[in-house]
């Protein structure tokens, strides 16, 4: 016949409750001792009755087990609780996230989006901000234009100065024709004859007969030509 399972609830009778406490306490301490022996575990058991009476069991020293428990609880609490630096980082992240959301909303509103929830005063303030921003953009653009114009003027002045220097250098170089004539005169001088003597001889030779012309040609070192 199967044993009837008793419902787990508070026993109303004080006498029956005390008897049950004594029996269950002995059984609990016996199981704790078996656990410590079989598994080589440190077991400490503390029980207070309804009247405040203390009952305890310890597989070794109760104080050593309690100290070990306190140390383990402190280390476990440190591991579970986030550090102060980590909390600060979370706070900074949340603050930056809020700023990002607010800045994104303002940017969309400046683009003309999500304006339905704004009041007249907020719309006027937005309009003023846009006008101020546009004025700054135009001012910055004009400043960049002036800087570019100044840079181009500086480059133009530099190129003009370089051009003037090149012209001065070119004006100091002698012409190529004069140099060629000087070279020709040097060659004729080396042969012992001048251009004037050659031309004089040719003219004089044309007014004489063939024999005289031949003699002149021979004297000048020119080939002999028979005159018709």
């Amino acid at each position: 016949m199967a044993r009837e399972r008793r419902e787990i609830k508070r026993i109303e009778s004080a006498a029956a409750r005390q008897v049950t406490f004594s029996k269950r306490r002995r059984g609990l301490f016996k199981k704790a001792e078996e656990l410590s022996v079989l598994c080589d575990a440190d077991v400490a058991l503390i029980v207070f009755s309804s009247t405040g009476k203390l009952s305890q069991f310890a597989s070794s020293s109760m104080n050593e087990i309690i100290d070990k428990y306190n140390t383990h609880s402190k280390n476990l609490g440190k591991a579970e609780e986030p550090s102060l630096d980590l909390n600060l980082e979370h706070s900074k992240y949340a603050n930056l996230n809020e700023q990002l959301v607010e800045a994104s909303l303002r940017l969309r509103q400046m683009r003309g989006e999500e304006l339905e929830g704004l009041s007249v005063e907020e719309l006027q303030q937005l309009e003023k901000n846009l006008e101020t921003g546009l004025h700054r953009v135009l001012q910055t653009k004009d400043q960049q234009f002036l800087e570019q114009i100044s840079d181009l003027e500086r480059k133009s002045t530099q190129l003009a100065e370089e051009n003037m220097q090149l012209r001065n250098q070119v004006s100091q170089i002698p012409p190529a024709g004069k140099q060629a004539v000087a070279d020709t005169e040097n060659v004729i001088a080396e042969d012992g004859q001048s251009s004037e003597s050659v031309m004089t001889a040719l003219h004089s030779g044309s007014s004489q007969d063939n024999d005289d012309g031949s003699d002149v040609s021979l004297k000048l070192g020119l080939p002999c030509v028979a005159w018709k």
Side-chain angles (χ1 to χ4, degrees):
M1 184 176 180
R3 185 177 180 181
E4 182 181 359
R5 186 179 182 85
R6 179 179 296 180
E7 182 182 1
I8 303 299
K9 66 178 182 178
R10 182 177 180 275
I11 301 175
E12 298 297 336
S13 174
R17 187 166 59 245
Q18 184 63 33
V19 172
T20 303
F21 174 78
S22 299
K23 291 181 180 180
R24 296 288 181 111
R25 180 187 59 187
R26 287 194 299 270
L28 182 61
F29 286 171
K30 184 178 180 180
K31 293 294 183 180
E33 182 180 6
E34 291 176 356
L35 179 63
S36 64
V37 174
L38 293 175
C39 301
D40 193 18
D42 290 334
V43 179
L45 183 60
I46 299 175
V47 179
F48 287 95
S49 65
S50 59
T51 59
K53 183 179 179 180
L54 171 65
S55 300
Q56 63 180 8
F57 167 80
S59 59
S60 57
S61 172
M62 177 64 74
N63 292 330
E64 292 180 358
I65 296 176
I66 291 176
D67 291 339
K68 186 184 295 186
Y69 169 77
N70 291 331
T71 302
H72 179 74
S73 298
K74 291 179 180 179
N75 295 332
L76 183 61
K78 291 181 180 180
E80 291 179 352
E81 293 180 359
S83 62
L84 181 60
D85 295 336
L86 186 59
N87 290 332
L88 184 60
E89 291 296 328
H90 283 303
S91 177
K92 289 181 178 180
Y93 173 77
N95 189 17
L96 291 175
N97 192 22
E98 291 178 358
Q99 293 180 4
L100 178 61
V101 172
E102 184 177 358
S104 299
L105 178 59
R106 290 181 179 178
L107 180 60
R108 290 193 298 271
Q109 289 176 350
M110 293 182 69
R111 292 176 179 174
E113 302 174 359
E114 300 184 14
L115 303 177
E116 292 79 7
L118 298 179
S119 62
V120 177
E121 290 78 8
E122 292 175 344
L123 291 173
Q124 290 177 350
Q125 184 64 34
L126 179 60
E127 182 181 4
K128 183 178 179 180
N129 294 336
L130 289 174
E131 290 177 353
T132 303
L134 180 60
H135 176 70
R136 292 178 180 177
V137 170
L138 294 176
Q139 186 177 5
T140 304
K141 183 183 68 173
D142 293 340
Q143 182 66 27
Q144 291 184 359
F145 280 160
L146 292 176
E147 292 178 357
Q148 291 179 1
I149 291 173
S150 178
D151 188 29
L152 291 175
E153 290 178 350
R154 181 180 57 81
K155 290 181 179 180
S156 177
T157 303
Q158 183 178 359
L159 290 175
E161 293 177 355
E162 293 178 356
N163 189 16
M164 183 62 68
Q165 293 178 0
L166 291 175
R167 287 185 177 182
N168 294 332
Q169 293 176 2
V170 170
S171 62
Q172 296 176 1
I173 298 175
K178 294 181 179 180
Q179 185 68 28
V181 171
D183 295 338
T184 305
E185 290 177 355
N186 292 332
V187 172
I188 295 175
E190 290 177 357
D191 293 338
Q193 297 177 348
S194 65
S195 60
E196 293 179 356
S197 61
V198 173
M199 296 302 295
T200 303
L202 290 175
H203 285 294
S204 62
S206 62
S207 61
Q208 297 177 1
D209 56 2
N210 293 336
D211 294 335
D212 295 337
S214 300
D215 294 337
V216 173
S217 299
L218 291 175
K219 291 179 181 180
L220 294 176
L222 299 175
C224 181
V225 180
W227 296 88
K228 294 182 180 180

